[in-house]
Every structure is written in C-alpha cells, then in structure tokens.
Amino acid sequence: MRRFVIKAVAASVLGLATAGVALAADPAKKDIVIGTTVGDFGDMVKQSIKPILEKQGYKVKLVEFTDYVRPNLALQEGALDVNVFQHKPYLDNFVKEHKLNLKEAFQVPTAPLGIYAGKIKALKDVKVGSTVAAPNDPSNFARALVMLADLGWVKLKPGINPLTASERDIAVNVKKIKIIPLEAAQLPRSRSDVDFSVINGNYATSSGIKLTEAIYQEKSYAYVNWGAVRTADLAKPWAKDVVAAYNSPAFKAFAKQKYAGYKLPQNWN
C-alpha cells in the first residue's frame, strides 16, 4: 500500500475538522470521477471509498452505469478517471477489440459464481446422472465447467484454456452429469427442477439468495473484478491514492462486514 504523505494544513483550507492535520490530495488533481455499474460497486464508493478519499482532500463524483460498454469508453474518453465493474478477461478483450489504452489497477470484492443446492442439498450426495443447471453464455459456462472439474465430477482435456472451456473439452464425465444450460437470470428459479444450480453472484443476491448459502464457490481469481484506469495515469499520485483506498484497512473492514460470501481481492490474503 502506498504511504500517504502527511502534512499540516488549516482545517478551513480543506474543509475538514481534523485538528489541523489532513492527508494531502495530489495537488495536480483535486476531483476524481469513478464509474461503476449500479449496485454493490457503486455502494462501495458511496459508503466507503468516497469518504476515505475525501478525507485526503479529494472531491469524488460517482457515475453509475447500467451496461458493460459505456464505462470503458467513458474512461478512455476522459469522462471518468476510474471504473469498477469488470473482470480482467472482459477488460483484456474489450481493450483489444476497441484499441483502448486502459489498465487494471486493483481488485475489488466480487460476488462469485457458486453452486447452490437444488433437489440435492450436499455435494457429497451427488449421484451418477445428477442434473446441474449452468449459465449458457460461453464465459460463465466455462467457469462452471472448471468448478465441476475442481469437484472431480468431470475431467477436462489437458492443455485447454480454462477461460474458454466448452462441453467439447470434457474428457471424462465422471459422474455422468447432465448439464442444463440456462439464461443466467433464470438460474435462481431453476433450483427446484435440478439437483444443483451454478448461479452468478449478482443474480443470486438480486433473487434474495445469500452468497453464504453456496455449497461451493469457484477457486479461481480470474473473474474477481478490477478497477481500471487509463494506462498513462497508472503511476500518478491520485491513481495511487485510489488504489491505496481500495486496499486500506478501513475499506477491508467495511467490505468484510457488508459483503459476506464475496470473493475478496487476492492480495488481501
């Protein structure tokens, strides 16, 4: 974590009642605009990150999006300074496809993909021919296959890319699992019809399912979401202050209390 510079300033200058001492903002940049998708990432900014940065003298503005395209374009164009909404495989592909100069800077707590009980309540009770509902989009379906392989229910072909695995990459279906692909939004409702359901974290929480109810969560950190900045800004003091805020003891304590069941940044371990 970057060591913040401490300097004495008059409380009236920064508008902070801190006994005349405050953490100093980057003198070259006072305003920071953070873009997130609506929901938990926006709440993290409003309830923890914004107060942390404003105590240093920054003015923080939050812009919330309802899609996965505009946040990166807005960051590239300079309408945002930071965005928080995407995992690295998505960022890498988007940057390549649109020829952008963006870079991942820090991980954030992320609602993970999990296996939830359906007709069968425990992993140990899986039987030959058990049914497993899984998201039907290629990226999340690959994640589901990796989870089934981690459990030993299937074996994947050696040397495959786990980020793009498909049913064709199953070498041995050890448990003769019947995988039922469904739209991600339908997965919470599928639990009464299948033995197990692999559900995206955001769809679980929006359906009233607690992430702590998952009987298994993916091991990989590949899909933990990141905060991104423009590549040219990565080494600037204000960007380092944002990174430090997301890795601060205050934010860690906030996230661990509020987001039970989330997959936490790998560097927090």
Side-chain angles (χ1 to χ4, degrees):
M1 184 185 303
R2 179 180 180 271
R3 181 176 298 174
F4 295 131
V5 178
I6 308 297
K7 60 171 70 173
V9 295
S12 59
V13 174
L14 292 178
L16 297 173
T18 56
V21 179
L23 294 172
D26 179 355
K29 186 174 181 62
K30 298 294 186 181
D31 299 330
I32 298 176
V33 183
I34 302 176
T36 72
T37 43
V38 175
D40 49 6
F41 297 129
D43 290 342
M44 291 175 195
V45 173
K46 287 180 281 190
Q47 298 174 25
S48 185
I49 297 301
K50 181 177 180 179
I52 290 171
L53 289 172
E54 289 186 340
K55 285 181 180 178
Q56 295 175 244
Y58 291 105
K59 182 178 179 181
V60 178
K61 179 182 178 182
L62 171 66
V63 180
E64 294 181 287
F65 296 85
T66 56
D67 71 280
Y68 293 151
V69 174
R70 289 185 298 153
N72 278 332
L73 299 180
L75 180 59
Q76 176 71 26
E77 293 165 1
L80 303 175
D81 296 306
V82 184
N83 70 33
V84 182
F85 77 99
Q86 63 197 318
H87 52 62
K88 192 172 182 298
Y90 179 86
L91 173 64
D92 290 346
N93 183 69
F94 197 97
V95 164
K96 182 178 180 180
E97 182 179 350
H98 295 273
K99 298 180 174 59
L100 307 182
N101 292 308
L102 307 180
K103 187 70 175 176
E104 73 278 3
F106 54 89
Q107 288 186 329
V108 293
T110 306
L113 198 67
I115 296 179
Y116 293 81
K119 295 178 181 178
I120 297 177
K121 305 306 178 186
L123 295 173
K124 64 181 179 61
D125 294 328
V126 64
K127 57 184 183 293
V128 172
S130 285
T131 53
V132 178
N136 64 0
D137 63 284
S139 176
N140 285 311
F141 190 83
R143 295 167 70 183
L145 285 182
V146 171
M147 293 172 71
L148 298 182
D150 288 341
L151 289 169
W153 295 1
V154 303
K155 291 183 179 180
L156 299 178
K157 296 176 182 176
I160 65 153
N161 183 347
L163 302 182
T164 59
S166 69
E167 282 196 88
R168 296 188 301 273
D169 296 313
I170 297 176
V172 182
N173 191 336
V174 179
K175 293 291 186 180
K176 302 293 189 291
I177 296 295
K178 296 177 182 176
I179 304 174
I180 303 172
L182 295 174
E183 291 287 339
Q186 297 177 10
L187 290 166
R189 298 192 298 272
S190 74
R191 297 173 69 185
S192 61
D193 299 319
V194 296
D195 296 318
F196 303 97
S197 189
V198 182
I199 306 176
N200 299 73
N202 60 315
Y203 285 112
T205 55
S206 65
S207 299
I209 302 171
K210 295 180 180 179
L211 298 181
T212 50
E213 293 178 29
I215 55 178
Y216 188 80
Q217 290 184 339
E218 62 184 338
K219 295 179 180 179
S220 173
Y221 280 88
Y223 294 97
V224 172
N225 284 6
W226 286 79
V229 300
R230 288 178 294 278
T231 305
D233 290 338
L234 195 58
K236 292 181 178 178
W238 67 263
K240 292 183 178 180
D241 286 341
V242 172
V243 173
Y246 273 96
N247 286 292
S248 66
F251 181 65
K252 289 179 181 179
F254 164 81
K256 288 176 181 178
Q257 179 180 15
K258 186 174 177 65
Y259 298 108
Y262 274 53
K263 199 168 188 67
L264 301 176
Q266 191 168 15
N267 68 320
W268 289 13
N269 294 333

